[in-house]
Each structure stands twice: as C-alpha cells, then as structure tokens.
Amino acid sequence: MKDQKLVTLALHFGKIDYLPLAENFLKSLLMCVTYPNIELMLVETGGNRTVRKWFENLDFSTNFINHAGDKTDIVCNHGCNIQKSLIFLDPEPQDEWYMTFSKGISEAINRARGEYFVILSEDNQFN
C-alpha cells in the first residue's frame, strides 16, 4: 500500500434533509471503491449534533451502521483501507449558509494529507 498514494475524499454535510444522500454516498463508497489508500474526511458545518455523533461512530473496518443506528451487511471492499477524519464547524449567527460551507472546504484543504484531494457535497449523487 505504501506505493499507492493517499487520496483524500472530503464529504461535506450541512443540511439535515440530505442525510439519506450522505448515507447513500458512504454505502456506495464502501461497495464500489477498490483503491487501497483513502483518507475520508467527513465535514459537518450545519451544527447538527445527531449527524456528528453518527460520523463519530462510523467504523469502516466493520459492517456499515446507517444513520438510524442499524447494522447493515455492507462492508468495505477487501484491500481498501479508509482512514476517517472529522471536521465539525458551527455556523456563526450572522453567517449565511455558504459562509460556513466555505470555511469547511478551506479547513478540509488545510488538513488533507492526501497527494490528491476531492471534495463533494452530500447532495451530489452518481449513478
């Protein structure tokens, strides 16, 4: 794995209505990605404690736990190592939604350890 460069994927989350989309993203990542060296940054900027607790409890070395707390049969692809890191930023009362979003992106860029970096929002879905 040492010869495989670390890739940082940052998933931004900010709107509680999009929780099912974030869950789908994470399930898809676990089932489809075969690259062996990934840093997954979970960035929450909406101040949602429930989402933060779920992110804290996610363990990608065992069966995936959905946001409702149910254990699934979804596991990380064999040979894929996902290192989780968390960024939680609370919005300031005077901030518009995009201000905290921008701060979250900046923080993710500053903390990323990967040779390559990609940031996605929870409402981006792929088929």
Side-chain angles (χ1 to χ4, degrees):
M1 185 176 351
K2 290 185 181 205
D3 59 341
Q4 298 291 329
K5 298 196 183 301
L6 182 65
V7 173
T8 299
L9 299 176
L11 175 65
H12 173 268
F13 188 90
K15 191 170 181 182
I16 192 65
D17 294 345
Y18 295 150
L19 188 56
L21 298 177
E23 184 177 314
N24 286 342
F25 172 86
L26 293 172
K27 287 178 189 176
S28 180
L29 178 76
L30 291 173
M31 294 183 338
C32 298
V33 172
T34 58
Y35 191 78
N37 201 9
I38 295 173
E39 174 188 27
L40 176 61
M41 301 179 100
L42 299 171
V43 183
E44 200 287 330
T45 62
N48 188 295
R49 303 296 180 238
T50 301
V51 172
R52 292 178 182 191
K53 185 72 171 167
W54 177 50
F55 282 175
E56 288 172 343
N57 291 330
L58 286 174
D59 180 358
F60 298 116
S61 64
T62 63
N63 290 61
F64 181 73
I65 305 292
N66 65 22
H67 72 273
D70 300 321
K71 187 176 187 176
T72 69
D73 60 351
I74 297 169
V75 293
C76 188
N77 258 324
H78 179 71
C80 182
N81 178 41
I82 298 177
Q83 306 162 39
K84 178 181 78 172
S85 61
L86 304 170
I87 298 174
F88 299 152
L89 298 176
D90 290 320
E92 298 294 329
Q94 72 277 7
D95 284 354
E96 296 291 333
W97 70 268
Y98 59 85
M99 296 168 85
T100 309
F101 174 76
S102 297
K103 290 175 189 174
I105 292 172
S106 294
E107 191 67 26
I109 291 168
N110 290 334
R111 290 193 200 179
R113 296 179 294 122
E115 181 83 15
Y116 304 101
F117 177 83
V118 176
I119 189 162
L120 300 166
S121 294
E122 74 277 12
D123 58 347
N124 290 341
Q125 297 292 294
F126 303 97
N127 293 317

